[in-house]
Every structure is written in structure tokens, then in C-alpha cells.
Amino acid sequence: DADLSGATNAVFMGSSVVGGSAKFLVCSTGRQTQLGTIAGTLRRTAPPAALERGTYRFGLLIARLTILLALCALFFNLLRHHPLLESFLFAVALAVGLTPELLPMIVSVTLARGAIRLGHKRVIVKRLAAVHDLGAMDVLCTDKTGTLTEARIELVRHVDLSGKESEHTYFLAALNSRFEAGLKSPLDEAILKHSPTAIADSWRKIDEVPFDFERRRVSVLLEDQDKRLLVLKGAPEDVLRLCSRYESSNGAVIPLDAQALELARRQFEALGADSFRLLAVASREMPTTAEHASVSDEAGLIFAGFTAFLDPPKQSASAAIADLDRAGVAVKILTGDNELVTRHVCGSLGLTIRAMLLGSDVDRMGDEALMARVETTDIFCRVTPAQKNRIILALKRRGRTVGFLGDGINDAPALHSADVGISVDSAVDVAKDAADLILLDQNLKIVAEGVREGRRTFGNIMKYVMMATSSNFGNMFSMAGAALILPFLPMLPIQVLLNNLLYDISEVPIPLDQVDDADLVSPRHWDINFVRNFMLVLGPVSSIFDFLTFGVLLLVFHADAALFHTGWFIESLATQTLVIFVIRTRGSALKSRPHPALVASSVGMIAVALVAIYSPLGSLLGFISLPLTFMAALAILTAAYLFLAEAVKRFFYRRLAKRSTRLSKPAFNLAGGASPLRDYLG
């Protein structure tokens, strides 16, 4: 059968024989088997995950910006006839200043801190970047068994032919399961666990007709005092075929005529539609002299009823799905089970079912057609490992950040391809090897809590990214502009590098900072348009105050090169360092409390800069002592800058963030048409 779930006459590599014997024809070996295909999938390089894609696009943005401003600065300095070597070193220092060299450390430490917090929730993080990807996840695909259900069979009902609960039906099923030889099946264990004391010790076994897959039933011959009874259970359609009578609700034995058979068929279909797994139970009295049981004795039976089994839904799964839904994460079910069972489980958990696809439907679709359907389909049933993998890749091609939760060999390809693969400690080894996160408790609620940790991690990474782009861009843009109007370099190369070093050190505690609750309510992604536009709006605010500082130094203090270098160095560092308290939150900077370490590092680096200026070391770095009147003017300018930055930030988030893809066009291309700067920056 092309549908593997329907290939009931096939033996797959990696299967275990529990009982019985068979002859089979080997059609495929090694990599050509289904298990070999799964292994081949895992050897291929996984598609880039969310963090890789985001940092790559951010790297391109920074590279283009750096090249643009460095070349402009070099050109302007040469245009002013500054020495070639000094101009070149200044351009190189400017490029270094624009480079967010602290980003790898910020990302690594922030991810490590997130991994520690997940560890406290009993989650093992195998790949650090998966912490970020968990926060960016907006679709969670999951298997059904063990995730939404308890992964154990329970006996739920035992009914007679009319559908009424029947203790006699259960009693006979328990007799059969207790005395059946060999390994107990999960159904037998569920029967015996349901009521362990249901059978009196007076019963003893005489003989058995073992289960086999052709008869699909098992019979045991039992004795209790002077009574001998053959008890049979098995597949309903086969057991009913062997029955000539049935036992009614009041204990009467009635012929099993056509009307009774139709009633049994309707009862069987009704229970099956509710996703129950069914066994039929029947019996017949045997002669007291009977010492053996045979297949020929399985005739003229009295039908007792049906036993109905279910893998019960997890009590915690419903609340976890609701938590994920509130967090903006869509849950999709990818399972090899049939559609009736899956629909019943999802309905009992309150999971919305907009559309359902079978594995055979997926096979008939091309990649484009599948991409069009995966967004609105919530359940995929009877899917193979390859089909699960196609569904994951189709969602990723639609721009979704996809997580996959699974624990079987069949789940390994999907775990490998997902942005974040999640498995459990009880999973098979190949699934745990392919996963990025391993849950020590098989509970979907842990995933919902992990999403918040991932978003907290992403929030702190983005604080540095927003700082590195907007603040650095403003300062470096000012340097390039100053090179055009000044008869000397705006700042010495060593001063540019020192400024950049002190600024980076001040940002080291960012991974410890708190994240606003508003940043945790929905998936966060690397929106490079948003980052670029934030840079193009907030960066010029910094440049405005840089040019005001230039005016104060040149027009009020009549600064020479040394005074200009020193004055702008301290102003640039102060504004660039303190603006973190504005950028770190979307809300009011006065209401959102930063981590004490971030406050200490920011203020501390400004203090270090002042010590460097007023100490003997200052002369070696090209600094001179600043007048107190300038320091007073600097305090006023810095306070005004922070106030304006806060106002512009709020305006950006309130009015412009939702239109981030169009923001830079009217702001930087007043003549209309395409914006060359925006197009260059991506």
C-alpha cells in the first residue's frame, strides 16, 4: 500500500517481533528501507533556523551601513585634504565603531541564561540557539500520542449488545485476560487494572487456544467448582460471526437473529466513531469432562458485549493549548493515527479544527499546493515521516517559525527540519539525537512556559541590536558629517576605538535585564525592516545633539582640535551609553526598572571616561581638561537628548512601528519614488 499505515502485510526494518512466526520476502535493504530513508534525512544539513536567518540578515544590514559610512568618511576627509594615512585610519576606526562586536557575546550569554532558566523547568537545552527559536515560534506541530494523550490504554466502557454498562461483560473479559498465557498486551493490562479483585480465586485454567493474527482472537478454557467455561475475546466482527445467541441486560439468553446483529453493528460503529478501540467478548459452557480447547470449540457462542478502550487525553494538555493560543502560537497535530481517533481527542481538548488532511492527500499535492493548505489545516492524519517533514518545510517556506514535538523514530526527520525540535526523556534515542530541547516531564505546559523564556531571551538580544544600530548609526553619521565641515579629524582613531570599547563594556549586563510583559505576549521575530527603520528614526536624534555639541564647542568655546576631540568624546559616550535606558523598553523609561548591574556599568563607564580625561593618561590619548562651563552645558544637552529620544521612541512605536516597511520612504525621500538609502540597506 502506498499509504504506510495501510500496509498491514508489510514488515519494516527496526520492527520487533512480539509473538508468532512468519515468512516474508525482503524487498529493500539498508538505505532503501523506510528506516534507512529516515537515517538519510538526518544526515542532510537542516534548513537554517530562526536565529541563523535573523542574524544573517542583520549582518548584511550592518555590513552595508558600515561600508557606506566608512567610504563617505574617507571621501570627505580626502576632499578636505587631510593626510591620507590619518583619513584611512579614521575610516577604519569608524567601521570598527559601527560593528556590533559585542553581539556574539550578548547573544551567547543571553541564550545561556535562558538555558539555565529552562533547566530549572526540567528542560535540557542541546542547542543554545533553540532558546531564541522557542520564543520566535509561532506554530507548534506535535504528535498526538503522549503529548495530547497519556500514552496508555484505559478500559473506559464495558457494554452489552444494547449499549448498557454490563459487569458480566467485564467479568468475562477479565477472566480471559488473567489466564491468557504469554506476554500481556496493553489491552489485557488495561482490563486487569480496571478492577484487580473482580475474579474469585476459585477459577483455574485448563487449556487455551492462543491468539493468532488470522483468527484475531484468544480462547481460554476455565473451571470453577463443577462448571467449565470457554471464554473468548477478539476482533468484534470475527467474534460476532461465531455467536448464535446473546445475553440481554436482564441475563436472558436470546437467539442472535438479523435484528440483533444489526443492533450489534450499530453499537460497534457508534463506539468506533467515538474513537474507542473495541474487543468483543463471548463464552459458552463446556462439558465438565472437557480437558482441551480447540478452534472447533469456537462456535455456537453466547455474545456478552464490547469492551471499549481509549488513550485518554491529558488533563494538562487543554490548559497548555489555551496558554499557547494566548501566546500567539498555533498548534497543529501531525499523527499517524486515523482521523476519527484524532478528531475525538482534539475535540475533547477544545482544539479548533478548521480543516483536516490525510497523508494520501499530502502525497497528491505539489509543494506549492501544500504551502497553500498548511496555513489553514489544523490536523494531519495518517502521515508518514516524509510527509511530516514536507509539512514542516512548507510552513517554514511560508515564513513561519516552526517547532515540532515528537518522540518516535517516525518523528526524527521533522525534528531535524523544524526551527526548534522538542522531544522527551522517554523518547527513542534517534528522536532525542535529532531534537534541540528535551523535556524531562512529558507535559505540553512546559513548552508554553518555555516560549516565555525564549521571548525574554530574544527581548534582551534585541535591546543590544537596537542600541547598536540606532545609537551607533547616529554617532558614526555625525563623525562622517563632521569630517566634511571640520579642518581637522572629528576624533582621533584611538579615541574612536576607546569610545567604542567603553560603550561595549557598559552593555555587558544586558543579558541580566528584565523584559517588559508586553514583549512576552506574542511571537518575536527578526524584522530587519523594523530594525532599519528604528535606526533611521532614532539615529538622527543622536546626530542632532552631536551637531549641537559641535556648535557649542566651535561657536561658544572656540575649540581647537584637542578641545573638540575631548568635548565630543565625552558627549558621544554619555549620550550613547545612557540612551540604553530609553531603548530598553517600549514603555516609559521612568516606569520600567533596569537591572542594577546595567545602571552601574553605564554610569561606571562614563566615570572611567572622565578619569581618563582628567588623569595623566589623558594626554597620551590626546585629551585635555574640559572647562566646568562645558560640563554644565553637556549635562543640559544630554538630558534634552534623552527627553527627545523618549518622545521619538514613543511616537515610533505608537504610529510608525506597524508601518515599518513603509516608514523610511516618506522620511528620507521627500521627492517621492524609491529611496536609494532604504534600498541599499535592504
Side-chain angles (χ1 to χ4, degrees), residues 6 119 216 222 261 275 297 304 326-327 331 340 342 366 378 407 418 443 499 529:
R216 300 198 300 169
L222 306 171
L261 280 173
S275 77
D297 294 323
R326 284 191 294 270
V331 177
L340 289 177
T342 305
D378 300 302
D407 59 1
N443 190 338
N499 182 297
N529 285 335

Side-chain angles (χ1 to χ4, degrees), residues 22 24 42 61 111 132 225 254 280 300 346 378 438 455 466 528-529 574:
F24 57 91
L42 298 180
L61 172 67
L111 292 175
H132 161 277
Q225 298 176 1
I254 305 172
C346 293
D378 300 302
I438 297 177
R455 290 175 184 174
M466 306 296 266
I528 298 304
N529 285 335

Side-chain angles (χ1 to χ4, degrees), residues 396-598:
K396 291 183 70 170
R397 282 193 289 269
R398 287 188 65 95
R400 307 301 292 269
T401 302
V402 186
F404 182 79
L405 176 57
D407 59 1
I409 294 176
N410 289 350
D411 299 321
L415 287 167
H416 183 65
S417 297
D419 288 295
V420 52
I422 309 169
S423 192
V424 294
D425 190 38
S426 58
V428 298
D429 288 342
V430 68
K432 289 191 285 189
D433 286 343
D436 304 310
L437 304 174
I438 297 177
L439 310 181
L440 298 182
D441 296 324
Q442 199 164 348
N443 190 338
L444 194 62
K445 190 171 182 62
I446 297 177
V447 178
E449 294 173 355
V451 167
R452 291 178 61 86
E453 293 300 333
R455 290 175 184 174
R456 184 176 287 109
T457 298
F458 181 76
N460 279 334
I461 291 174
M462 289 307 296
K463 288 176 187 178
Y464 180 77
V465 168
M466 306 296 266
M467 281 287 295
T469 50
S470 62
S471 184
N472 278 10
F473 170 74
N475 279 280
M476 299 307 127
F477 182 77
S478 300
M479 286 190 184
L484 184 62
I485 61 175
L486 294 175
F488 48 80
L489 290 177
M491 201 182 293
L492 297 179
I494 191 172
Q495 294 169 348
V496 175
L497 297 178
L498 177 62
N499 182 297
N500 189 58
L501 175 64
L502 294 177
Y503 161 73
D504 278 343
I505 294 175
S506 74
E507 305 305 300
V508 167
I510 282 180
L512 305 176
D513 198 21
Q514 299 298 319
V515 177
D516 294 342
D517 290 339
D519 291 333
L520 306 179
V521 297
S522 61
R524 303 287 305 279
H525 301 283
W526 284 78
D527 186 346
I528 298 304
N529 285 335
F530 176 85
V531 173
R532 180 200 64 207
N533 294 329
F534 188 86
M535 171 191 74
L536 295 177
V537 170
L538 266 291
V541 175
S542 174
S543 296
I544 289 171
F545 282 86
D546 285 337
F547 286 112
L548 287 175
T549 303
F550 297 166
V552 171
L553 286 169
L554 295 174
L555 302 178
V556 178
F557 292 92
H558 307 290
D560 57 9
L563 180 58
F564 188 94
H565 293 163
T566 308
W568 191 35
F569 173 85
I570 192 65
E571 183 271 344
S572 172
L573 181 65
T575 54
Q576 192 176 11
T577 302
L578 295 177
V579 79
I580 181 61
F581 302 116
V582 173
I583 292 178
R584 60 173 292 278
T585 175
R586 294 192 178 206
S588 171
L590 298 176
K591 294 180 180 179
S592 178
R593 292 187 177 182
H595 193 279
L598 185 60

